[in-house]
Amino acid sequence: MSALSPSPVYKAYSRLPSNHVVQEEHVARQLDTLLEMAKQVESPFVCEFKPMIAVALKWKFDFLAKTLDSPFEIGRDIAYWIDLLSMLKTLGEQHWFELVPEKTERTSDVWERTANAFDIGWITTTEGERFRVSQEIARERLAQIIELIGGKAWFVGKDVLDSGCGPGRYIDLLQDLSPRRVVGLDQGAGLIEVLRTRFRNSSLIEIVHGTCERLEFPDSSFDFVLSNGVLHHTRSDLQTMIADHCRVLRKGGVMFIMLIGKGGLELRMWEFLRAFLYDVPIESILGRFGTVMSPLRLQGIVDHMYGEYQETDRVEFERWCSRFFTRAERVPGIDGLDVTPELYPDDPFFTARFGCGQLRYLCYK
């Protein structure tokens, strides 16, 4: 019997191939409906509700993933919020509160909004002792990289670049590996001032104000380059930026890169949330939840609800890497931190939920 032939008729309970396209499209249409309804009830009053709706939907999606329940259960929640906004629309029309005429143009540049959100967000969510709380994620990731790359001794005397260093979680840890120098690069003007104050007593660390979209370093400047979830938050061509990061690596150097993958309801949900909260300033939502929510969860709000993404297919990414590096090795996901197929072997909804999963690689020049 051909491998493409159906199972014998006597096998009544053979597994059928799973295809969730119809359910995915239904949830996507629901999100579109909810977004359209939100436009119809624009007002300062409804704006007070929107952050809670956004957090409730995001956390419900995350909860369904953790419990391996169907991601399409989120449809019930979306339907509830559609019904609520429909009610508010009627009440607004009855002058219970003032409705603002729908804006026909929304001219805010999403990439500028992204950059601004990270500049403000990182400062807020890693202030004081929150920096150490946030750093635990970086500590576990760096330990994984160290093991895969050959141990701590590999970094001794090396030149290191953290491209898009954020609050400096990694550069703080990397300096303990006895490198020659660690360069932290970021475009956030406010964040740069925080970083220069945070690391003012370190002779190994250099803070540079610039963008990862076009590196201003000479060829072959570094032995190790870290780009952890940064390049996909820019408008520039991803392949060009990867080539530029390879350019500043020395022969024999290594780059760790993380990019968001492609496909799945999670990314569709994040896209909806960014559009849904377009009229809610990041300062407002951080002020509202800043003292009552874990700083790690606040970072998720900044990243997913205010950070625009470029999606990348895994096959396409590996093809890019083959052009610039001698080899690229997948970095396994860490349980509880990452979204990769090997961490969800029993999830029949993985592709529908997460698409191809996150991309993490060590790339060797």
Side-chain angles (χ1 to χ4, degrees):
M1 179 178 293
S2 167
L4 298 178
S5 300
S7 299
V9 70
Y10 64 84
K11 292 185 176 180
Y13 297 104
S14 294
R15 179 182 292 273
L16 295 173
S18 59
N19 188 327
H20 303 113
V21 172
V22 173
Q23 295 100 314
E24 287 185 65
E25 291 177 346
H26 175 68
V27 172
R29 286 194 298 271
Q30 284 185 297
L31 290 172
D32 289 339
T33 300
L34 181 55
L35 185 58
E36 183 59 35
M37 184 60 67
K39 295 177 184 177
Q40 295 176 26
V41 291
E42 288 182 336
S43 72
F45 177 74
V46 173
C47 207
E48 292 294 315
F49 283 86
K50 293 174 78 172
M52 186 57 71
I53 294 173
V55 171
L57 284 174
K58 183 184 186 305
W59 284 12
K60 181 60 175 287
F61 188 92
D62 294 346
F63 184 80
L64 292 172
K66 297 300 182 184
T67 58
L68 297 186
D69 288 321
S70 168
F72 309 118
E73 290 293 318
I74 197 73
R76 299 182 183 183
D77 300 74
I78 299 171
Y80 170 81
W81 294 117
I82 291 173
D83 183 61
L84 177 71
L85 291 185
S86 178
M87 176 198 71
L88 289 174
K89 180 175 183 291
T90 300
L91 297 180
E93 291 169 346
Q94 297 297 316
H95 306 293
W96 284 41
F97 59 91
E98 181 182 1
L99 288 172
V100 178
E102 182 182 348
K103 302 178 180 64
T104 56
E105 292 187 14
R106 304 180 183 193
T107 57
S108 176
D109 184 291
V110 296
W111 301 110
E112 291 179 5
R113 184 175 188 245
T114 297
N116 178 67
F118 279 107
D119 192 20
I120 296 170
W122 274 127
I123 294 172
T124 303
T125 61
T126 60
E127 186 178 14
E129 284 304 308
R130 289 181 170 189
F131 178 76
R132 299 302 171 192
V133 175
S134 178
Q135 195 176 47
E136 291 307 308
I137 292 177
R139 189 183 306 280
E140 192 161 357
R141 175 71 61 210
L142 185 58
Q144 180 191 42
I145 293 171
I146 290 170
E147 181 180 0
L148 292 172
I149 211 169
K152 295 181 178 180
W154 188 91
F155 288 89
V156 175
K158 297 291 199 301
D159 293 309
V160 176
L161 169 66
D162 186 351
S163 178
C165 64
R169 299 178 299 179
Y170 283 94
I171 59 177
D172 186 43
L173 297 171
L174 284 162
Q175 70 174 329
D176 295 333
L177 300 178
S178 301
R180 192 171 76 91
R181 63 169 176 153
V182 180
V183 177
L185 170 74
D186 205 274
Q187 67 178 359
L191 191 55
I192 284 294
E193 294 306 312
V194 170
L195 288 167
R196 286 175 175 163
T197 299
R198 179 168 287 158
F199 298 111
R200 62 184 179 276
N201 296 323
S202 176
S203 60
L204 294 178
I205 294 176
E206 178 185 351
I207 303 301
V208 176
H209 188 205
T211 175
C212 62
E213 295 182 74
R214 185 173 182 179
L215 301 176
E216 298 294 336
F217 303 106
D219 295 357
S220 305
S221 295
F222 300 98
D223 303 287
F224 182 73
V225 172
L226 179 73
S227 176
N228 189 31
V230 179
L231 300 185
H232 53 220
H233 285 307
T234 71
R235 72 174 82 239
S236 297
D237 179 70
L238 287 171
Q239 183 178 187
T240 301
M241 288 189 288
I242 293 170
D244 195 33
H245 282 65
C246 180
R247 175 186 64 79
V248 302
L249 265 181
R250 296 184 179 117
K251 185 175 178 58
V254 183
M255 176 180 181
F256 172 83
I257 184 169
M258 180 272 172
L259 292 174
I260 207 70
K262 189 171 187 177
L265 277 176
E266 182 175 60
L267 295 184
R268 180 65 182 82
M269 174 69 71
W270 295 352
E271 181 184 8
F272 158 79
L273 292 171
R274 292 193 296 274
F276 186 71
L277 294 174
Y278 88 96
D279 58 346
V280 180
I282 184 68
E283 296 90 342
S284 174
I285 203 166
L286 290 173
R288 181 167 184 173
F289 296 120
T291 60
V292 296
M293 186 185 292
S294 160
L296 296 174
R297 304 288 75 82
L298 277 172
Q299 288 167 17
I301 287 177
V302 175
D303 202 316
H304 306 143
M305 300 185 190
Y306 288 87
E308 196 70 21
Y309 283 88
Q310 293 192 61
E311 298 181 27
T312 307
D313 178 73
R314 185 178 299 279
V315 174
E316 182 179 34
F317 172 78
E318 291 182 352
R319 185 168 60 248
W320 294 343
C321 289
S322 68
R323 296 172 181 169
F324 311 126
F325 300 95
T326 58
R327 74 181 194 277
E329 299 178 354
R330 283 184 65 174
V331 174
I334 296 175
D335 190 24
L337 296 183
D338 301 334
V339 174
T340 51
E342 66 271 12
L343 294 177
Y344 289 79
D346 301 319
D347 184 3
F349 302 104
F350 181 87
T351 301
R353 204 190 304 271
F354 299 123
C356 69
Q358 299 161 347
L359 313 181
R360 287 184 177 83
Y361 285 78
L362 281 173
C363 303
Y364 296 80
K365 186 172 180 180

